[in-house]
Amino acid sequence: MTTDGTDQPAAAAETVAVAARPAPAGAERPSDGRRRLRAALWPPRLSRGQLVVALLLFALGLGLAVQVRSTNDHNALRGARQDDLLRILDELDTRQQRLQQEKTQLNQSLAQLENSSNRAKEAEKQTRRSAEQLGVLAGTVRATGPGIILTVDDPQGQVKADMLLDTLQELRAAGAEAIQINDVRVVADTYFTDVPSGGEQIGGRTVTQPYRFTVIGDPRDLTPALNIPGGIVRTLEKEQVGAAISEQQKVTVGALAEPPPPQFLKPVTK
């Protein structure tokens, strides 16, 4: 019995009884809440709109990756010199013009074949013309037309085989259709080698200076290609080698190449 008239042991017993009393039937235990949260999150339930947004984000990321890779591929030109960039740009413009001309010629040939009243004769004419063009490229046919004559004067013997080859490559890139160096016809398998005693070998034949390039092509393309900054004319001038270009309305490439005889080819017998 306490001073206020209450029974302390009875109150403590009542408190223990209340604490031990079971929870109501509707109360939720913590483990049930975690289980319901896990069931709500897995497996994921995506709506149609969420799926579309996910696909769009994936496509955007893929496009950004491709763009970054493409940008990195063009970084190689950032370190190039201005002379090299000008030469590359000039070669690309020349190549584009040449491809456009070829496209126009092919379209004209197609129109002639379609509109010709006698397609057999027109096809024979086209075949003969193609054979002549292939003969010019192979060096087995003489050729004439507008072009230039490049004379390389090298009295001190500074010109080497690689310089002649660079000159040939620049002429071809500018649209040269037929080339002759001195009395040697230049074709696809022509090679250049240095001769210790002086001069150069072109296609196995010894050629001495001055080196005379007779070139058939458009002079408006050939001359600028040789004179661009960093081109072959500037390179030769640095080596104290004279280089003179003469544009002409008609030049003749008369030297002929002798194709090697076939070693394995045999005619088919019936």
Side-chain angles (χ1 to χ4, degrees), residues 60-80:
L60 179 60
L62 182 61
L64 289 175
V66 173
Q67 181 67 26
V68 169
R69 183 175 181 182
S70 177
T71 302
N72 292 334
D73 292 341
H74 294 284
N75 288 339
L77 295 177
R78 293 182 179 179

Side-chain angles (χ1 to χ4, degrees), residues 120-139:
K121 291 184 178 180
E122 186 63 30
E124 182 180 357
K125 181 180 178 181
Q126 295 286 346
T127 303
R128 190 181 301 109
R129 185 182 306 169
S130 298
E132 293 177 355
Q133 294 176 355
L134 292 176
V136 172
L137 295 177

Side-chain angles (χ1 to χ4, degrees), residues 23-250:
E28 182 177 352
R29 292 180 295 178
S31 61
D32 295 338
R34 287 194 295 270
R35 186 164 52 252
R36 293 182 60 189
L37 179 61
R38 191 182 303 112
L41 294 177
W42 190 265
R45 298 178 177 86
L46 296 177
S47 63
R48 184 175 181 181
Q50 292 174 338
L51 182 59
V52 172
V53 171
L55 292 176
L56 290 177
L57 290 176
F58 174 76
L60 179 60
L62 182 61
L64 289 175
V66 173
Q67 181 67 26
V68 169
R69 183 175 181 182
S70 177
T71 302
N72 292 334
D73 292 341
H74 294 284
N75 288 339
L77 295 177
R78 293 182 179 179
R81 298 180 306 172
Q82 183 178 4
D83 295 344
D84 296 334
L85 293 176
L86 290 174
R87 179 169 56 183
I88 293 173
L89 181 61
D90 185 74
E91 290 179 357
L92 290 176
D93 292 340
T94 302
R95 188 176 302 173
Q96 181 181 3
Q97 295 176 3
R98 186 165 63 253
L99 291 175
Q100 187 64 34
Q101 293 177 358
E102 292 179 1
K103 178 182 177 182
T104 302
Q105 293 176 358
L106 290 175
N107 289 333
Q108 292 176 356
S109 299
L110 178 61
Q112 291 176 359
L113 288 174
E114 291 178 347
N115 300 328
S116 176
S117 59
N118 191 343
R119 296 188 177 182
K121 291 184 178 180
E122 186 63 30
E124 182 180 357
K125 181 180 178 181
Q126 295 286 346
T127 303
R128 190 181 301 109
R129 185 182 306 169
S130 298
E132 293 177 355
Q133 294 176 355
L134 292 176
V136 172
L137 295 177
T140 59
V141 177
R142 293 167 54 92
T144 184
I148 65 171
I149 295 178
L150 170 64
T151 303
V152 178
D153 192 6
D154 180 35
Q156 299 179 1
Q158 299 296 323
V159 175
K160 302 300 178 183
D162 56 346
M163 295 181 182
L164 296 178
L165 180 59
D166 291 341
T167 306
L168 175 63
Q169 296 293 356
E170 287 196 10
L171 290 171
R172 284 176 172 172
E177 299 177 355
I179 302 175
Q180 174 181 332
I181 303 177
N182 289 12
D183 58 348
V184 179
R185 184 69 171 269
V186 178
V187 292
D189 59 350
T190 302
Y191 58 93
F192 297 80
T193 55
D194 294 324
V195 179
S197 59
E200 304 295 330
Q201 277 197 350
I202 304 177
R205 300 176 61 181
T206 301
V207 177
T208 58
Q209 69 89 27
Y211 304 104
R212 181 185 175 92
F213 288 77
T214 304
V215 187
I216 294 179
D218 191 348
R220 295 172 297 179
D221 295 334
L222 299 174
T223 302
L226 297 176
N227 285 319
I228 61 174
I232 190 63
V233 173
R234 299 294 183 268
T235 302
L236 292 174
E237 289 176 352
K238 291 180 181 179
E239 299 294 335
Q240 303 300 320
V241 177
I245 301 175
S246 174
E247 298 184 0
Q248 300 187 12
Q249 294 298 322
K250 183 179 180 180

